[in-house]
Amino acid sequence: MEKTSIGVGRAALHVAISESRAEEMALRKEFEALGIRSCAVDFGGTFTEIIPKIIERAVVAADRQELIQDNHVSKGAVVGATAQALEQLKNKCVGLNVGGKVGIARSQEHLSVAIYLGVGVLHLDEIAVAMAHRAVPNL
């Protein structure tokens, strides 16, 4: 896998769509061997109500897994990429219940956030995916 913005985005998406914690951990280990650090965090609730929690969880996960430095530039990059990905989902999700996972990947100056979620519409669930990228200073 390339350590370009496309390769890092691909890693973030793979982590976001992982079905289990075991699969997620195996993917993270595989990407780490390739020089791509990654993490993921689950979420669920009414879309408009949980947007701040999704952003907060993404920043906390990226910080705890040492994908970013503990400064406003790095944290702002995660906030911005997560907010941009959520914006891509807004029209499909507003007012509905959602549940899914945020995947974050980082290599060198490339940071990607991928969101994979299910949207509850009565008993007919819809799915959606969104991604965003930011350039941040090397660790």
Side-chain angles (χ1 to χ4, degrees), residues 57-85:
R57 287 181 183 179
V59 172
V60 169
D63 191 29
R64 283 188 180 158
Q65 297 301 316
E66 299 179 350
L67 272 65
I68 59 172
Q69 295 173 339
D70 187 18
N71 60 46
H72 69 282
V73 173
S74 295
K75 290 179 180 180
V78 177
V79 169
T82 306
Q84 182 180 359

Side-chain angles (χ1 to χ4, degrees), residues 20-27:
S20 66
R21 183 83 167 132
E23 181 184 356
E24 176 190 319
M25 296 306 289
L27 285 169

Side-chain angles (χ1 to χ4, degrees), residues 31-122:
F31 295 140
E32 180 78 28
L34 298 172
I36 300 172
R37 297 188 53 101
S38 59
C39 66
V41 63
D42 296 314
F43 63 86
T46 304
F47 183 73
T48 50
E49 293 174 10
I50 64 168
I51 287 173
K53 283 288 184 197
I54 294 170
I55 294 170
E56 179 183 329
R57 287 181 183 179
V59 172
V60 169
D63 191 29
R64 283 188 180 158
Q65 297 301 316
E66 299 179 350
L67 272 65
I68 59 172
Q69 295 173 339
D70 187 18
N71 60 46
H72 69 282
V73 173
S74 295
K75 290 179 180 180
V78 177
V79 169
T82 306
Q84 182 180 359
L86 288 166
E87 182 68 25
Q88 295 169 27
L89 299 169
K90 183 175 66 176
N91 287 339
K92 186 176 260 191
C93 300
V94 167
L96 301 172
N97 287 324
V98 299
K101 191 184 288 190
V102 177
I104 306 165
R106 166 86 186 265
S107 181
Q108 299 168 5
E109 72 275 4
H110 300 291
L111 176 92
S112 289
V113 173
I115 301 174
Y116 179 76
L117 55 76
V119 183
V121 181
L122 299 173

